Amino acid sequence: MYAIVDIAGKQFKVAKDQFIYAPKMEGEAGANVSFDKVLLIDNGGKIEVGAPTVNGAKVSGRILEHVKGDKVIVFKKKRRKGYTLKNGHRQQYTKVQIESIG
């Protein structure tokens, strides 16, 4: 059994007891969260597609921790001008364990 869920504008394919790294959410580690924007549910081959969401469907999970992603280096240069700019960025994520789909 799996579901396609919209979390903060991004779609994730989730199953029970799976870990996902979603964009940073409000809440402390150990807090329960629920996602109402369920776009599709596959229950043993029986697929239910929402228009745009499945009515009454909910995916619940638990926040495990807040983490940072890998560093991305942004380097800009203009040739023959002596201009260089080096910048870095680390995106913040929330690690969520999916507990139930229903």
Side-chain angles (χ1 to χ4, degrees):
M1 179 174 189
Y2 71 88
I4 306 291
V5 183
D6 185 341
I7 303 171
K10 298 186 181 210
Q11 296 179 8
F12 295 92
K13 179 180 177 182
V14 297
K16 190 174 185 307
D17 297 329
Q18 178 185 5
F19 300 107
I20 61 169
Y21 290 95
K24 188 170 182 184
M25 300 179 220
E26 297 292 326
E28 298 291 324
N32 292 327
V33 291
S34 63
F35 308 109
D36 296 333
K37 292 184 180 179
V38 179
L39 306 175
L40 180 139
I41 292 182
D42 180 7
N43 191 358
K46 181 177 176 249
I47 297 175
E48 187 174 349
V49 179
T53 59
V54 179
N55 290 333
K58 184 192 284 189
V59 174
S60 61
R62 184 167 32 94
I63 295 176
L64 297 179
E65 60 182 336
H66 298 288
V67 296
K68 288 185 178 180
D70 295 335
K71 182 173 266 193
V72 177
I73 302 297
V74 179
F75 184 75
K76 298 180 181 180
K77 180 180 178 172
K78 295 193 180 187
R79 62 183 189 164
R80 298 187 304 268
K81 305 297 181 199
Y83 170 79
T84 59
L85 178 71
K86 184 176 179 182
N87 203 349
H89 177 74
R90 289 185 73 184
Q91 188 69 35
Q92 295 185 349
Y93 294 103
T94 300
K95 186 175 180 181
V96 179
Q97 180 179 14
I98 303 301
E99 292 182 335
S100 68
I101 299 172

